[in-house]
Amino acid sequence: MPKLLDPTARALVLQRLRNISETTERRWGTMTAPQMLCHVSDQMRVALGEIPASDRSTLLRRTVLKWLVIYTPFRAPPGKAKTSPEMLTSRPTEWGEDLAGCEGLIEQVGMGGAVADHPSFGPLTPREWGRMCWKHLDHHLRQFGA
């Protein structure tokens, strides 16, 4: 299963991300491309402990849902998954700066720097965060046709 800790998977995600521009139209949902870029960056900032997240975990989320999301090829239905408010913290500024920041965060997560607790799934290893962040990026890259 792809994860950001795999250099090849990380390079492919970065390539797909660079195929999106600030004017790329979404296929579903309500976010613009600049908002999506901030959103996926915020998720990685939560993973890296840069944005503190409130614990919303339950036994079901920490066990069954965590396993389903991280360890299976399950994909969130387009436009249906709710996100934590901490992952909607940033606002778009300049596309190039936001893109460079996101690329840097992908590298940090890819180097094993993600150690914070997930708001819904509780403690995750850097490897689990690498998978989780890859799946999240993949979801939103598909949202914008990349």
Side-chain angles (χ1 to χ4, degrees):
M1 287 189 277
K3 59 185 120 338
L4 292 183
L5 276 71
D6 173 6
T8 302
R10 189 166 62 248
L12 289 172
V13 161
L14 287 166
Q15 181 181 10
R16 290 170 63 196
L17 184 64
R18 292 172 186 140
N19 286 332
I20 296 173
S21 75
E22 61 189 313
T23 60
T24 302
E25 294 292 323
R26 63 184 171 259
R27 293 180 171 182
W28 70 79
T30 59
M31 280 189 233
T32 63
Q35 290 169 330
M36 176 275 295
L37 193 58
C38 289
H39 168 61
V40 296
S41 293
D42 285 346
Q43 184 225 12
M44 290 182 283
R45 286 187 185 99
V46 167
L48 294 163
E50 295 176 14
I51 297 176
S54 299
D55 181 10
R56 293 175 195 80
S57 67
T58 63
L59 180 61
L60 182 65
R61 288 179 180 176
R62 286 188 309 271
T63 56
V64 176
L65 191 56
K66 173 183 169 179
W67 177 83
L68 180 69
V69 170
I70 296 175
Y71 294 102
T72 73
F74 170 79
R75 287 182 170 177
K80 301 296 180 195
K82 299 275 184 186
T83 193
S84 298
E86 295 90 351
M87 296 179 192
L88 295 170
T89 302
S90 301
R91 298 289 169 252
T93 57
E94 194 276 316
W95 178 260
E97 290 176 21
D98 291 343
L99 179 60
C102 185
E103 291 172 346
L105 293 163
I106 289 170
E107 291 296 335
Q108 287 181 54
V109 171
M111 300 312 283
V115 295
D117 287 356
H118 187 279
S120 293
F121 304 145
L124 297 182
T125 67
R127 190 172 180 83
E128 289 171 326
W129 267 119
R131 175 67 178 155
M132 183 77 199
C133 290
W134 182 91
K135 285 184 85 169
H136 189 233
L137 283 157
D138 177 67
H139 172 80
H140 286 292
L141 292 170
R142 285 184 293 106
Q143 179 184 15
F144 286 88

